[in-house]
Amino acid sequence: MNETPLLHNMSAPATTVISHRAGQYGSRVVFALPEAKGPLTPAGVLAWLDGRPWRSRFRAGVRKAEAALRARLDAHARTLALPPAAVVSECAGKGDREEHDLLTVLTVLAKSSGRVYLRDKEPNLAAIRPERRVVLVIPPEWGAS
Amino acid sequence: MTQNGDSSLLARLGVIGMEAIEPVVLGALIGGEPLLLIGPHGTGKSYLLARVAAALGLEWRHYNASLLNYDDLVGYPLPDGQGGLRFVRTPASIWDAQAVFLDEISRCRPDLQNKLFPIVHERRVQGILLERLVYRWAAMNPPARDDEPDADAYRGSEPLDPALADRFAFVAEVPTWEGLGERQQEQVILRSGEDVSPAAAAQLLAAIESGRALLPEVDRALRTQLATYVRLVTAVLRHAGIECSPRRAATLLRNVVVVHAARLVREPAADPGDSACVALGSSLPHRAAGLPVDGLKVLAAHREAWKAAGLAPHDPRRFLLLEPDPFRRALRAVGAESLPPVEVSGVVADALASLPAGARHALAAALFESGGAARLVAAVAEQCAQLYAVVAAPQDVHESVASGSMRLGVWKRVVVTLARHDPAAPETPLVSNLLSGLFAAGELAVPEDVERALGAWRRGRETARELAA
């Protein structure tokens, strides 16, 4: 059986396809957690950082661990060679630098939303998740950390 | 702030519905300041002034400036036998007047307006001081404006020469008939032509004397704050397109003092800020000169200036108030370390809302490149981050558009514009991302928007560099 070939629809307006990719500005640094060695609870994260189980000098508890972790992250944030505010990019590229220091990764994750990293923001411990990855755009003025 | 009809001095004189301008009228009487009333015909301008003159028992002259000859003012000149001239005084001449009312001043011939100038300004005629003259009043219909052809406009009412208008300390708009309440309208109808009651006249005289007695104290208490207020409010008005002369600034200070004294007579707890607002509203000569004055802008300027005048001299909010450019204001706010993040963020958010595409991206870029974004509250920092991401992150455009469409025309303009940029220049990726991002977001509606956005971006970048230097 012969099939009638489809005819071009002459009533459809002609179209032009625009395709363009603009350039990268500054540099990007990727912050992602390595595979966790235990639960990502505040006490678990502190234990991961210190290489030994975390115990409060006082009565141990979740709140104490949270406060200790927040204090650690805040203190570390002030030492980072990152701008005090940086845009979070949705994607990473081939040449992007990856940060491997665990405390730095934890700090950036806890102080970044989906759009922005703010050094002086209260650390959000719920943002420390194993699958999460943050890519910061660093303007040329600040160089790469 | 306003007085009700029963307690109004003017209402007791039979002048109904003038409560809004009563503090101004009383202030002008207390200070002996020149007063110009503007309003449609039949709104009681002449009636008000005639009642006041009658209540105060003044020897006054009511001239219709549209019909006036100079001889009517000065009398007839005769040689004095010593090589000079003397003027034969007539009942209508100005020499012994305590008050002069120049009605229809906007219909007066320009050459005569020039001769009225020294009477209003210096109480002089032919260089001779009019020693008895205290009160100088005038009235006019709203001047016709070339840019507002209106069948109801007063075509014979010409804008006053700005220099003459500036000589009137107070320029008050009288309430219109439509602006009166039903009861007030009926009172106007019922009480028209009543004699001025001696009690009402005595009350007006007593109020003027009390106000004059209060003047030194009010002046002493408010002078410093008012000087700051006047400096700030005139600067803010200038940014809003309402220019005030240095003379007007000095006049405004005096006006606030006399209006506050007038209000204190009637209301011992009167707030000086409200007095300043009332005085400012009737201290702008622009309306008489045919220049539009946006009442909301004046009110906003008053509020900002009054608030700032109460701040410490080096408070950064003062210079923020005086900065008309939202881009600069935002960067200055970020640089003012004593401002709390919430206030900084408010200024930045306002700037982002008012700046056009390109400029707001340049502001966001400046904030992230300088680290200033760290001074913002999270919500505003996120807003800036979203804008900065447009220029700093690679923007992909992949779209099928109809051939010959406006959208394709816009894209072609983007391509042509980007082709003019040096690929190696550091700013090129930012510009490329900006235009691609704006195109993808549908913010470039016509080809000219490409140049507009790029121009706004460049001006913003230059401003940021200038302020960072």
Side-chain angles (χ1 to χ4, degrees), chain B residues 56-387:
Chain B
L56 299 180
L58 298 174
E59 184 167 344
W60 78 309
R61 306 285 183 269
H62 179 170
Y63 300 111
N64 185 326
S66 67
L67 306 171
L68 188 65
N69 284 313
Y70 198 57
D71 290 347
D72 299 334
L73 278 174
V74 295
Y76 299 103
L78 288 176
D80 63 3
Q82 297 172 333
L85 288 175
R86 65 184 177 86
F87 291 93
V88 177
R89 301 185 180 203
T90 69
S93 63
I94 198 169
W95 299 103
D96 295 321
Q98 294 170 292
V100 59
F101 173 33
L102 303 163
D103 202 1
E104 307 287 5
I105 193 169
S106 58
R107 297 172 192 270
C108 177
R109 297 192 318 267
D111 63 306
L112 194 57
Q113 269 193 19
N114 290 337
K115 289 176 179 170
L116 299 177
F117 197 101
I119 298 173
V120 174
H121 181 47
E122 306 170 310
R123 299 187 179 97
R124 285 178 186 275
V125 70
Q126 297 280 44
I128 303 166
L129 182 66
L130 298 164
E131 291 180 356
R132 293 193 72 203
L133 183 63
V134 178
Y135 303 110
R136 290 139 295 157
W137 303 325
M140 62 186 278
N141 299 130
R145 284 173 50 194
D146 293 338
D147 58 337
E148 262 187 10
D150 179 354
D152 297 331
Y154 291 91
R155 300 215 173 276
S157 179
E158 294 292 327
L160 287 196
D161 181 296
L164 176 58
D166 205 25
R167 261 51 180 200
F168 286 96
F170 288 105
V171 179
E173 286 191 86
V174 296
T176 59
W177 178 252
E178 292 75 23
L180 303 185
E182 288 177 6
R183 185 171 173 273
Q184 286 177 318
Q185 288 182 343
E186 286 173 11
Q187 285 286 303
V188 170
I189 295 162
L190 286 170
R191 296 182 60 183
S192 177
E194 268 182 12
D195 289 337
V196 173
S197 85
Q203 282 169 341
L204 178 64
L205 191 60
I208 293 169
E209 285 172 357
S210 301
R212 284 183 182 155
L214 285 169
L215 276 183
E217 188 188 331
V218 172
D219 187 69
R220 198 168 41 249
L222 295 181
R223 195 167 184 75
T224 307
Q225 186 185 1
L226 287 182
T228 306
Y229 164 74
V230 168
R231 180 173 60 78
L232 293 172
V233 82
T234 51
V236 178
L237 286 172
R238 186 167 58 248
H239 301 154
I242 304 169
E243 287 279 349
C244 295
S245 67
R247 177 192 297 112
R248 180 54 42 179
T251 303
L252 176 57
L253 189 147
R254 278 200 309 277
N255 285 359
V256 178
V257 170
V258 296
V259 165
H260 191 53
R263 292 187 68 234
L264 286 174
V265 168
R266 311 288 300 149
E267 197 182 334
D271 175 52
D274 290 342
S275 300
C277 186
V278 170
L280 177 65
S282 292
S283 295
L284 299 173
H286 305 68
R287 293 184 186 94
L291 302 171
V293 175
D294 184 334
L296 285 177
K297 283 183 181 173
V298 174
L299 182 61
H302 161 74
R303 285 182 178 159
E304 286 190 64
W306 188 258
K307 188 177 166 191
L311 299 170
H314 300 296
D315 194 301
R317 293 171 191 86
R318 279 198 183 182
F319 66 69
L320 292 181
L321 180 72
L322 296 176
E323 177 54 70
D325 177 8
F327 196 103
R328 287 172 182 271
R329 192 161 57 238
L331 289 184
R332 286 179 185 277
V334 169
E337 291 179 4
S338 61
L339 276 187
V342 171
E343 284 191 44
V344 174
S345 302
V347 176
V348 170
D350 286 346
L352 292 176
S354 64
L355 289 169
R360 56 177 178 268
H361 296 82
L363 175 58
L367 291 172
F368 277 99
E369 288 169 0
S370 67
R375 295 211 57 215
L376 304 174
V377 298
V380 180
E382 296 236 349
Q383 201 182 348
C384 287
Q386 198 174 2
L387 290 165

Side-chain angles (χ1 to χ4, degrees), chain A residues 94-141:
Chain A
K94 269 185 184 173
D96 297 345
R97 190 171 74 76
E98 285 192 31
E99 176 60 52
H100 297 296
D101 176 66
L102 179 60
L103 183 53
T104 301
V105 172
L106 289 165
T107 302
V108 170
L109 291 184
K111 286 175 174 278
S112 297
S113 69
R115 286 197 179 123
V116 67
Y117 159 79
L118 291 172
R119 182 190 62 194
D120 300 330
K121 165 193 157 106
E122 173 87 0
N124 174 14
L125 301 186
I128 300 174
R129 298 192 302 272
E131 77 284 4
R132 188 159 184 245
R133 186 181 70 159
V134 166
V135 182
L136 295 189
V137 177
I138 312 297
E141 290 80 357

